[in-house]
Amino acid sequence: MITNHTEYQAIERRFTRLAAIHDALGVLGWDSQTMMPTGAADGRAAQMAALRVIVHELLTDSRLADELAAAEVEAGLTVWQRANLREMRHAWIHANAVPSELVEASSRAASACEMIWRTARPAGDFGALLPAFTEVLELQREIGAAKAAALGCTPYEALLDAYEPGVRIAMIDPLFNDLAEFLPEFLPRVLERQATLPAPRPLDGRFPVETQRILGERLMRAVGFDFNRGRLDVSLHPFCGGATNDVRLTTRYNETNFTVSVMAVLHETGHALYEQGRPAAWLTQPVGLARGMAMHESQSLIIEMQAARSRPFLEFLAPLVRQTFGYTGPAWQADNLWRHYTRVEPGFIRIEADEITYPAHVILRYRLERAMIAGDLAPADLPAAWNDEMQALLGITPPDDRRGCLQDIHWPSGGWGYFPTYTLGAAIAAQLFETARLADPGIMQGLSRGDFVPLVGWLRTHIHAKGSLLSTDDLLTVATGRPLDVSVYRRHLERRYWDGE
Amino acid sequence: MITNHTEYQAIERRFTRLAAIHDALGVLGWDSQTMMPTGAADGRAAQMAALRVIVHELLTDSRLADELAAAEVEAGLTVWQRANLREMRHAWIHANAVPSELVEASSRAASACEMIWRTARPAGDFGALLPAFTEVLELQREIGAAKAAALGCTPYEALLDAYEPGVRIAMIDPLFNDLAEFLPEFLPRVLERQATLPAPRPLDGRFPVETQRILGERLMRAVGFDFNRGRLDVSLHPFCGGATNDVRLTTRYNETNFTVSVMAVLHETGHALYEQGRPAAWLTQPVGLARGMAMHESQSLIIEMQAARSRPFLEFLAPLVRQTFGYTGPAWQADNLWRHYTRVEPGFIRIEADEITYPAHVILRYRLERAMIAGDLAPADLPAAWNDEMQALLGITPPDDRRGCLQDIHWPSGGWGYFPTYTLGAAIAAQLFETARLADPGIMQGLSRGDFVPLVGWLRTHIHAKGSLLSTDDLLTVATGRPLDVSVYRRHLERRYWDGE
């Protein structure tokens, strides 16, 4: 028994080391998007590749396999230690299921394809991308097949599992099928209602970068971001990265429009709170990690969509905006901000989509990538299939592939099975927020004063501090009393976009 | 033969990987002094320790030892490959001579001692530091002894060898003994001459950080810094760090005094040019590294001391300063800048010392650390020995240990054998600069226009592009026609501080 427990301790030490390397990768990744001079790109790629190879070597070391097997039959471990072992095994399966050569070939193919995509996208030239795209897909299919055997699921689920462990099609399909039925009926009603209301008054003005940054940091503090363990910088695309106790957020600024940056900062702060709230005793272990990308997205969307686009919060935000930028008048009232932030308009581009149409973009990608991984859709047929789905879900057809199947970096760069986490996250966010709001009336009252303590306190207890102790499903069930319930998400959309709450 | 050549290639691949990890460490180190939030310090230490352990494991891997031995008897290697093998063996000796436990104990002791030093220094309390200091010293003595056997030199030389490979006491003693004789005679003469001249007019004004930064970047560009492969930031102490093709300089700004930051930027740019000028074909290999810390210091001092404090350059700098900050009058003329930048005044603090008294600070530390490593000076006797040397070399006695033996971080943090590189670098700088200047009259003419192309072109060819192909001694001899010649350095000091050139 004592010997076995020593095995467990030995594995913890291995994973502590892995966590340090992952953290180093997080800082290097942040630097490459915020600080790095362009001429350093090749060197940085080499540095990060070297560290990733080391991670892979540590996870495929045969001594780890032996220690894991020994620890798994050990008695006397705590619940957290058991869960940690389960997460270690999960990481082990992902690393060991795929031969190194396949990992490398896939990584090389994705780098090459991403390079081509960077010129093919602006040119709208899917034909130029097709050969590299096909290679990336074939390698992803191989990886999916290899992991499927080890995980006991379908190849597509095996890819999804790398982003949200344990989530299967059985959780996604009911949600996405329901939404695919609901949205084409709901969207025209929302647009009709919107047309009867006055259009948002334009928020014209100059919004200096430095002033926007100060406002962003003010809001980050209000939400509960700990600047002793993180910072805010600028990058081309906003993200939340960095390392343990060192959360690096980014945004970008447009000096003629402050509304995008404000919400980007709040979104990324939602991610950051999850990272800064992970269980302190387990920060170096797999069980101490955030649950997965869907749960992570739920945390950003609770702040950005559920809390910050609510009327109570916008009542707090409006005077702060007026005071910060020095504008007055009816355009700068909370109600007008609300109309901006809840404006619905079907469009071709996912990252510009509103809360109502966003799920349609995700469902489309989910259907298509699942079909491609299954071998039911050939890459050459992707543009036509994309346009058909857009027509069916949003009633519009992209005029070119630039605004169609070429718009996202995910597939060319090897990110297959990631898209569903966006809408899973949105639905989880709605369910968590409703539960929290009903449990504590102080939450909405707090938002109207810019006080996030009641809301974040609930999230800390029910989500952040749990790390990866529970599965996604169990975490949600324990927190809200039931598994994922799409009706809550629908109700949220109806309340905001039909009732105008 | 072909098999052997494969061995050589295999080792190159190992060192390419090591270079990537070193580069990652360089970026993480830069970040920790410029960007990192304070709460991330422990995590960052863990990340860097994990990468250093990996470096050590890669260098002590028994397969590397076999491959090295095989490659060393291989025929048909080029001169660069041979030199690369020699440098690989050198790195191997340093890593393998010392047992891991000793490396770890020393690193831990140094971290603990540095922590105590941070409070003992401001308190001037050497007694509080003594136990930890003694432990650091004892472990350094053990490391020196272990490496001495492997390198075939004395323990002190073995420590020095980690900073400037191949340099031995036989190169340092003639230089330092000469200077220790020359300076106490020369310094009073300089001070006397200085007293007969008008004192520098004060450079009073407000110098906004942003304006100083713009001036600094302007000068960096003039010197030849490539911003596509590097950047300038702010840290508590200026340094040159980062990674291959990603050189990160720092400075600090004082809004009531611009003179320090200008020279700090020029100094670090000298280091940066060396890094940016390393041989392109060998950037991932040991032979492609800069020769050592003394040669590195020579490159910073050529820019800062030899070039930038010369009258021709100050003729260029003065109007630029007037234009940048918007001041006019006699204080802002080149001659007054020259009087500021060549002001001599014996003081207690090394990092504030002028060009004349700086070597005395270094010689003192060299004598004392050598005696401590040899066991001839007990740490408890350090304060008294320090003060005696200060009196002998500069004629002043520190009023307390804060301004005496507690002022530098080097010894508490385990940096023994580093100090001599400062003055070795200064002497090498004088010799290289004199050779370059005599070879190309365009160099001084260029400086008067802020044009560093002739000077840096000479340095690129004769120093930077050579990497570690030659030993320090050979590199200097090939570049200047003779080994280190202290008379050149003396002549430089006499010309500037006696002749007023």
Side-chain angles (χ1 to χ4, degrees):
Chain A
M1 285 308 164
I2 284 163
T3 312
N4 278 342
H5 203 243
T6 304
E7 301 281 357
Y8 173 80
Q9 299 296 353
I11 313 176
E12 270 206 0
R13 282 193 294 275
R14 287 185 191 274
F15 277 87
T16 297
R17 189 177 189 184
L18 279 162
I21 303 171
H22 277 297
D23 276 346
L25 278 164
V27 176
L28 294 171
W30 167 85
D31 183 271
S32 66
Q33 302 203 45
T34 53
M35 299 290 160
M36 187 182 79
T38 51
D42 287 352
R44 179 60 50 82
Q47 293 152 29
M48 295 183 73
L51 298 192
R52 287 201 193 99
V53 166
I54 290 166
V55 166
H56 193 255
E57 286 174 356
L58 291 171
L59 282 171
T60 54
D61 185 328
S62 64
R63 286 168 301 180
L64 174 61
D66 296 344
E67 288 164 2
L68 264 178
E72 281 167 344
V73 296
E74 141 82 341
L77 294 178
T78 67
V79 174
W80 278 88
Q81 288 172 326
R82 285 250 152 260
N84 198 25
L85 265 181
R86 182 197 65 220
E87 295 301 312
M88 290 163 161
R89 173 61 77 185
H90 185 261
W92 185 91
I93 288 172
H94 271 278
N96 286 269
V98 186
S100 307
E101 307 77 55
L102 179 51
V103 174
E104 232 188 281
S106 169
S107 163
R108 253 204 312 272
S111 295
C113 187
E114 191 186 316
M115 285 290 287
I116 297 168
W117 174 78
R118 290 189 186 282
T119 55
R121 180 173 78 148
D125 187 355
F126 185 74
L129 189 68
L130 188 57
F133 186 93
T134 305
E135 195 189 347
V136 168
L137 170 60
E138 286 314 311
L139 292 162
Q140 287 291 316
R141 295 182 71 201
E142 277 189 55
I143 289 174
K147 289 186 173 178
L151 289 164
C153 60
T154 70
Y156 179 73
E157 288 174 321
L159 297 175
L160 179 64
D161 189 89
Y163 303 113
E164 187 66 31
V167 164
R168 298 290 178 261
I169 285 168
M171 188 174 182
I172 297 173
D173 272 349
L175 171 67
F176 283 18
N177 290 339
D178 186 297
L179 290 173
E181 205 170 305
F182 168 70
L183 291 173
E185 175 268 325
F186 185 55
L187 176 61
R189 285 203 290 135
V190 169
L191 292 173
E192 210 170 301
R193 180 183 177 281
Q194 193 173 257
T196 67
L197 300 170
R201 293 169 190 268
L203 293 160
D204 291 334
R206 285 296 291 178
F207 312 97
V209 165
E210 184 55 15
T211 315
Q212 289 195 58
R213 190 188 61 74
I214 289 167
L215 176 61
E217 293 197 351
R218 167 89 169 72
L219 293 172
M220 287 168 73
R221 271 181 236 279
V223 178
F225 186 85
D226 177 2
F227 278 95
N228 187 44
R229 296 187 291 142
R231 45 182 290 147
L232 170 67
D233 293 277
V234 173
S235 67
L236 193 58
H237 300 288
F239 68 92
C240 170
T244 307
N245 286 331
D246 191 4
V247 179
R248 309 276 176 110
L249 296 199
T250 69
T251 188
R252 60 183 158 185
Y253 300 105
N254 175 346
E255 292 209 322
T256 61
N257 178 351
F258 71 93
T259 61
V260 176
S261 186
V262 161
M263 284 298 158
V265 165
L266 287 164
H267 180 97
E268 302 308 334
T269 303
H271 284 302
L273 291 181
Y274 198 177
E275 288 300 313
Q276 292 190 331
R278 294 196 282 122
W282 296 93
L283 288 179
T284 66
Q285 295 298 309
V287 76
L289 293 174
R291 180 58 282 183
M293 294 317 297
M295 194 55 75
H296 231 302
E297 191 70 7
S298 81
Q299 298 307 295
S300 60
L301 292 175
I302 280 178
I303 301 300
E304 181 203 346
M305 288 293 177
Q306 298 291 328
R309 287 176 204 241
S310 71
R311 287 197 182 266
F313 178 76
L314 292 172
E315 291 289 347
F316 162 78
L317 185 64
L320 185 61
V321 163
R322 290 196 298 268
Q323 179 201 323
T324 302
F325 298 115
Y327 292 104
T328 52
W332 306 89
Q333 299 302 314
D335 183 63
N336 194 51
L337 284 189
W338 184 86
R339 274 182 275 158
H340 274 280
Y341 278 130
T342 57
R343 185 82 185 160
V344 175
E345 196 177 351
F348 302 119
I349 305 298
R350 176 183 58 83
I351 62 167
E352 296 170 0
D354 54 76
E355 195 176 13
I356 293 282
T357 57
Y358 201 103
H361 290 275
V362 170
I363 292 167
L364 173 156
R365 286 158 177 77
Y366 166 68
R367 289 175 175 171
L368 298 180
E369 71 178 4
R370 211 177 133 182
M372 285 188 280
I373 293 295
D376 296 335
L377 173 64
D381 299 328
L382 175 62
W386 182 285
N387 293 355
D388 289 349
E389 287 281 352
M390 276 300 274
Q391 189 58 48
L393 287 164
L394 287 177
I396 54 176
T397 298
D400 51 45
D401 292 337
R402 179 171 67 80
R403 282 168 284 186
C405 66
L406 282 172
Q407 68 185 269
D408 292 313
I409 198 175
H410 300 56
W411 292 336
S413 69
W416 294 68
Y418 189 94
F419 283 119
T421 66
Y422 293 121
T423 293
L424 271 174
I428 293 170
Q431 187 165 331
L432 291 173
F433 192 73
E434 188 187 68
T435 305
R437 203 162 49 81
L438 294 176
D440 179 1
I443 285 177
M444 296 312 287
Q445 289 161 21
L447 294 182
S448 67
R449 301 185 308 269
D451 175 9
F452 283 75
V453 170
L455 172 59
V456 173
W458 192 92
L459 294 173
R460 287 253 184 278
T461 306
H462 292 88
I463 303 296
H464 305 173
K466 300 276 178 77
S468 290
L469 180 63
L470 305 174
S471 71
T472 306
D473 216 19
D474 289 350
L475 184 58
L476 184 62
T477 303
V478 170
T480 68
R482 61 193 184 290
L484 188 63
D485 177 355
V486 63
S487 73
V488 181
Y489 184 42
R490 255 196 277 112
R491 202 153 58 233
H492 158 70
L493 296 176
E494 284 167 341
R495 266 206 307 258
R496 175 168 291 167
Y497 294 91
W498 183 250
D499 303 337
E501 254 182 37
Chain B
M1 284 307 161
I2 284 163
T3 311
N4 277 343
H5 203 243
T6 303
E7 301 281 355
Y8 172 80
Q9 299 296 353
I11 314 176
E12 270 207 359
R13 281 194 295 275
R14 287 184 192 274
F15 277 86
T16 297
R17 191 177 187 183
L18 280 162
I21 303 171
H22 277 297
D23 276 345
L25 278 164
V27 176
L28 293 171
W30 168 84
D31 183 271
S32 66
Q33 303 204 45
T34 53
M35 298 290 159
M36 188 182 75
T38 51
D42 288 350
R44 181 59 49 83
Q47 294 151 28
M48 295 182 72
L51 298 192
R52 287 200 193 97
V53 166
I54 290 166
V55 166
H56 193 254
E57 285 174 358
L58 290 172
L59 282 172
T60 54
D61 185 327
S62 63
R63 286 168 301 181
L64 174 60
D66 296 343
E67 288 163 2
L68 264 178
E72 281 167 345
V73 295
E74 141 82 343
L77 294 178
T78 67
V79 174
W80 279 88
Q81 288 173 325
R82 286 249 152 261
N84 198 25
L85 264 182
R86 181 197 67 221
E87 296 300 314
M88 289 163 163
R89 173 61 78 185
H90 184 261
W92 186 91
I93 290 172
H94 272 277
N96 286 270
V98 185
S100 306
E101 307 78 53
L102 179 50
V103 173
E104 230 189 283
S106 170
S107 163
R108 252 203 315 271
S111 294
C113 187
E114 191 186 314
M115 284 291 286
I116 298 168
W117 173 80
R118 291 192 184 279
T119 55
R121 180 173 78 149
D125 186 355
F126 186 73
L129 189 69
L130 188 56
F133 185 94
T134 305
E135 194 189 346
V136 168
L137 170 60
E138 285 315 310
L139 290 163
Q140 287 291 316
R141 295 182 70 203
E142 277 188 56
I143 289 173
K147 289 186 175 179
L151 290 164
C153 61
T154 70
Y156 180 73
E157 288 174 321
L159 296 175
L160 178 64
D161 189 89
Y163 302 113
E164 187 67 31
V167 163
R168 300 287 179 262
I169 285 169
M171 189 176 182
I172 297 173
D173 271 350
L175 171 68
F176 283 18
N177 290 341
D178 185 295
L179 289 173
E181 206 169 304
F182 167 69
L183 291 173
E185 174 268 324
F186 185 55
L187 175 61
R189 285 203 289 134
V190 168
L191 292 174
E192 212 169 300
R193 180 183 177 282
Q194 192 173 258
T196 68
L197 299 171
R201 293 170 190 268
L203 293 160
D204 292 333
R206 285 294 292 177
F207 311 99
V209 165
E210 185 54 17
T211 317
Q212 289 194 58
R213 191 188 59 75
I214 290 167
L215 176 61
E217 293 197 352
R218 166 88 168 75
L219 292 171
M220 287 167 73
R221 270 180 238 280
V223 176
F225 185 85
D226 177 1
F227 277 96
N228 187 43
R229 296 187 291 141
R231 44 182 289 147
L232 171 67
D233 293 277
V234 173
S235 67
L236 193 57
H237 300 288
F239 68 91
C240 171
T244 307
N245 286 331
D246 192 5
V247 179
R248 308 276 176 111
L249 296 198
T250 69
T251 187
R252 61 183 156 187
Y253 301 105
N254 175 345
E255 293 208 322
T256 62
N257 180 350
F258 71 93
T259 61
V260 176
S261 185
V262 161
M263 283 299 160
V265 165
L266 287 164
H267 181 96
E268 302 307 334
T269 303
H271 283 303
L273 290 181
Y274 198 177
E275 288 300 314
Q276 292 191 332
R278 294 197 281 122
W282 295 94
L283 288 179
T284 66
Q285 295 298 309
V287 76
L289 293 174
R291 179 58 283 183
M293 293 317 298
M295 195 56 74
H296 231 303
E297 191 70 7
S298 81
Q299 298 308 296
S300 60
L301 292 175
I302 280 178
I303 300 300
E304 182 203 346
M305 287 293 176
Q306 299 290 329
R309 286 176 205 242
S310 71
R311 287 195 182 268
F313 178 76
L314 293 172
E315 292 288 349
F316 162 78
L317 184 64
L320 184 61
V321 163
R322 291 196 296 269
Q323 179 200 323
T324 302
F325 298 115
Y327 292 103
T328 53
W332 305 90
Q333 300 301 314
D335 183 62
N336 194 52
L337 283 190
W338 184 86
R339 274 182 274 157
H340 275 279
Y341 278 130
T342 57
R343 185 81 186 160
V344 175
E345 195 177 354
F348 302 118
I349 306 298
R350 176 183 58 83
I351 61 167
E352 296 168 1
D354 54 73
E355 194 177 13
I356 293 282
T357 56
Y358 201 104
H361 291 274
V362 169
I363 291 167
L364 172 155
R365 286 156 178 77
Y366 166 68
R367 288 174 176 173
L368 298 180
E369 70 177 4
R370 211 178 134 182
M372 286 187 277
I373 293 294
D376 295 336
L377 174 64
D381 299 328
L382 175 61
W386 182 287
N387 293 355
D388 288 351
E389 286 281 352
M390 276 300 276
Q391 188 59 48
L393 287 163
L394 288 176
I396 55 177
T397 299
D400 51 44
D401 292 336
R402 179 171 68 81
R403 282 167 283 185
C405 65
L406 282 172
Q407 67 184 269
D408 292 313
I409 197 175
H410 300 58
W411 292 337
S413 69
W416 294 69
Y418 189 93
F419 283 119
T421 67
Y422 293 120
T423 292
L424 271 174
I428 293 171
Q431 188 164 328
L432 290 174
F433 192 74
E434 188 187 70
T435 304
R437 205 163 46 82
L438 294 175
D440 180 1
I443 286 177
M444 296 312 286
Q445 289 161 18
L447 293 182
S448 68
R449 300 186 307 270
D451 175 9
F452 283 75
V453 169
L455 171 59
V456 173
W458 192 92
L459 294 173
R460 286 254 183 277
T461 307
H462 292 87
I463 304 296
H464 304 173
K466 300 273 178 81
S468 289
L469 180 64
L470 307 174
S471 71
T472 306
D473 215 20
D474 288 350
L475 184 58
L476 184 62
T477 303
V478 170
T480 68
R482 61 195 186 290
L484 189 63
D485 177 356
V486 63
S487 73
V488 181
Y489 185 40
R490 257 196 275 111
R491 201 152 60 232
H492 158 70
L493 296 177
E494 285 167 340
R495 266 206 306 258
R496 176 169 290 168
Y497 295 91
W498 183 250
D499 302 336
E501 254 181 36

